Amino acid sequence: MQFRVDYQSRETRGRVGVLTTEHSQIQTPCFMPVGTQATVKTLSQEELTELGAEIILSNTYHLYLRPGHELIAELGGLHSFMSWSGSILTDSGGFQVFSLSKLREITEEGVHFRSHLDGSKHFFTPELAIENQEALGADIIMCFDECISLPAEREYIEESVARTTRWAERCLKAHKRKDQALFGIVQGGTDPDLRLVSAKDLVSLGFPGYSIGGLSVGEPKEEMYKILEVLDPVLPEDKPRYLMGVGSPDCLLEGVARGVDMFDCVLPTRIARNGTVFTRQGRLTVRDAPYSRDPQPLDPDCSCKVCQNYSRAYIRHLLKTGEVLGLRLTTYHNVHFLLQLMAEVREHLLRGDFLAFKEDFLRRYGD
């Protein structure tokens, strides 16, 4: 993996760059659609290419449980298995394991947990997380970290940060594939001092990129923005910065303004399945009764093929009758919306008017 910064904004910390892997060049800042189980729900790989996606994310925990990392390796790795020619990033499975609060037990060696599918017992270690991801063959992989729930006592957060660093060291030792870039994950909750400790510890280990985990988990957005500002001067300027699990338009813009290069989130596909779509005027729940006779597109300002061809009334009809096409259309639109937004972000950064663009967008969006 190679990363370069081509332009640094003078009015914010936003920057424009290119992240190059064996499979694609990725224009940054970027949003990565999430394909949890080797698929971005309801969309084909051809549609993702059509939408302009250059990198997608898949989930190690879910693929470990089914169909299994060994099977995917046997079939040529994740790119071949899912017929995706672009780049892939895999998370370590840590967030999913630690979200199973009633089904897991943390030790220094790793985490004992029960599958959410059938209750079967498993034991994840940093070494197994790397083994899984090397078998999957993603271009960018993540260290196994401890993602704590908030709020939490400072003493526990301090212990968690130290454990995350020790696990990162073990991940580095276990990592053998040179065609994969291993990112460290900065933790520390909403405590600025502990975030700095985590970041400095991980930077000293020399990772090719740095993820920021444990945010957007229920804390006020202003707390997240404050942590990004604390981390900005500590994280290396020449390495990509990845804010994990963030995908609302307002957070994307505020994250870019604070130096973030990469984002991912299930939000666009999840809300699409509930009949909610992004528009330039904010979220719109097209399932609602007022749209039953509305001939307008989902977003009159959108250029995607859904908005060029289908009305709110028709899409509502599909959703209310349980037709799969309705889910496909709302998902296609939402993924297009975020990818197009990031393209506009890069354009306005290069123009030098990103701050005005951000303020105007947020004034109209109002979310």
Side-chain angles (χ1 to χ4, degrees):
M1 187 198 78
Q2 296 179 335
F3 177 69
R4 72 171 191 265
V5 176
D6 291 332
Y7 179 80
Q8 175 70 61
S9 170
R10 294 181 179 178
E11 55 182 9
T12 70
R13 293 297 297 158
R15 68 243 195 109
V16 178
V18 178
L19 180 65
T20 304
T21 76
E22 186 176 309
H23 289 91
S24 67
Q25 281 197 333
I26 303 143
Q27 309 301 309
T28 63
C30 69
F31 176 77
M32 299 179 285
V34 175
T36 300
Q37 307 203 61
T39 175
V40 177
K41 285 184 171 39
T42 80
L43 299 181
S44 70
Q45 276 64 282
E46 292 76 16
E47 287 170 318
L48 289 169
T49 299
E50 178 180 280
L51 284 163
E54 296 167 331
I55 180 172
I56 62 174
L57 180 146
S58 283
N59 182 263
T60 300
Y61 167 82
H62 288 283
L63 296 176
Y64 162 80
L65 291 178
R66 57 182 182 186
H69 59 287
E70 298 98 339
L71 185 148
I72 293 176
E74 178 186 327
L75 295 174
L78 199 50
H79 290 90
S80 175
F81 181 62
M82 64 184 294
S83 298
W84 172 247
S85 60
S87 295
I88 299 176
L89 180 149
T90 48
D91 59 15
S92 68
F95 177 81
Q96 285 70 30
V97 168
F98 285 99
S99 68
L100 302 170
S101 58
K102 296 180 181 179
L103 302 172
R104 49 91 169 152
E105 176 189 356
I106 305 169
T107 70
E108 179 61 27
E109 187 61 26
V111 183
H112 296 273
F113 68 96
R114 289 183 178 272
S115 165
H116 71 289
L117 297 173
D118 58 10
S120 57
K121 294 181 180 180
H122 302 272
F123 184 48
F124 252 36
T125 65
E127 292 78 13
L128 180 58
I130 297 300
E131 176 188 326
N132 288 342
Q133 292 180 90
E134 290 192 340
L136 295 175
D139 300 276
I140 301 173
I141 66 176
M142 297 293 121
C143 282
F144 190 59
D145 62 322
E146 181 178 359
C147 183
I148 63 171
S149 300
L150 296 176
E153 296 293 331
R154 178 185 168 87
E155 182 179 356
Y156 186 80
I157 302 174
E158 193 170 0
E159 293 174 3
S160 173
V161 165
R163 184 180 296 115
T164 290
T165 298
R166 292 192 296 271
W167 285 359
E169 292 172 337
R170 288 167 58 185
C171 287
L172 274 173
K173 291 179 181 177
H175 183 221
K176 300 294 187 267
R177 287 189 60 163
K178 302 305 181 185
D179 58 340
Q180 294 179 310
L182 174 63
F183 281 24
I185 304 180
V186 178
Q187 289 289 353
T190 55
D191 188 302
D193 293 335
L194 293 179
R195 283 282 175 175
L196 284 174
V197 169
S198 180
K200 290 176 180 178
D201 286 348
L202 293 175
V203 168
S204 72
L205 297 175
F207 288 97
Y210 296 90
S211 305
I212 303 165
L215 293 174
S216 193
V217 291
E219 80 284 357
K221 292 178 180 178
E222 289 304 322
E223 290 286 325
M224 177 173 69
Y225 302 152
K226 180 175 71 175
I227 293 301
L228 295 179
E229 290 167 5
V230 166
L231 293 176
D232 175 59
V234 179
L235 297 177
E237 292 277 354
D238 61 343
K239 304 288 180 66
R241 303 169 179 185
Y242 163 32
L243 180 57
M244 307 178 81
V246 171
S248 64
D250 54 330
C251 290
L252 294 179
L253 294 176
E254 297 292 358
V256 167
R258 291 162 174 82
V260 176
D261 304 297
M262 305 166 68
F263 304 84
D264 84 281
C265 196
V266 298
L267 182 67
T269 52
R270 177 173 290 168
I271 66 172
R273 298 194 299 279
N274 294 322
T276 298
V277 294
F278 299 122
T279 78
R280 294 285 167 156
Q281 286 70 47
R283 297 188 195 183
L284 180 149
T285 303
V286 73
R287 288 181 62 98
D288 290 351
Y291 305 108
S292 63
R293 289 178 170 82
D294 193 336
Q296 295 186 87
L298 294 174
D299 184 354
D301 296 324
C302 179
S303 62
C304 81
K305 68 181 183 182
V306 175
C307 290
Q308 298 304 306
N309 291 287
Y310 302 103
S311 69
R312 294 173 178 177
Y314 177 63
I315 294 173
R316 179 182 185 272
H317 158 71
L318 295 175
L319 294 170
K320 297 296 286 186
T321 55
E323 290 290 340
V324 174
L325 179 59
L327 306 180
R328 284 176 42 74
L329 295 179
T330 52
T331 301
Y332 188 100
H333 166 80
N334 278 353
V335 173
H336 174 275
F337 187 95
L338 294 189
L339 293 177
Q340 177 61 32
L341 176 62
M342 298 309 286
E344 293 178 37
V345 163
R346 295 191 295 270
E347 178 183 344
H348 285 283
L349 282 169
L350 290 171
R351 285 186 189 175
D353 61 357
F354 168 70
L355 191 57
F357 168 76
K358 177 172 80 78
E359 291 173 351
D360 180 63
F361 180 94
L362 293 178
R363 176 182 56 79
R364 290 184 292 140
Y365 188 73
D367 188 5

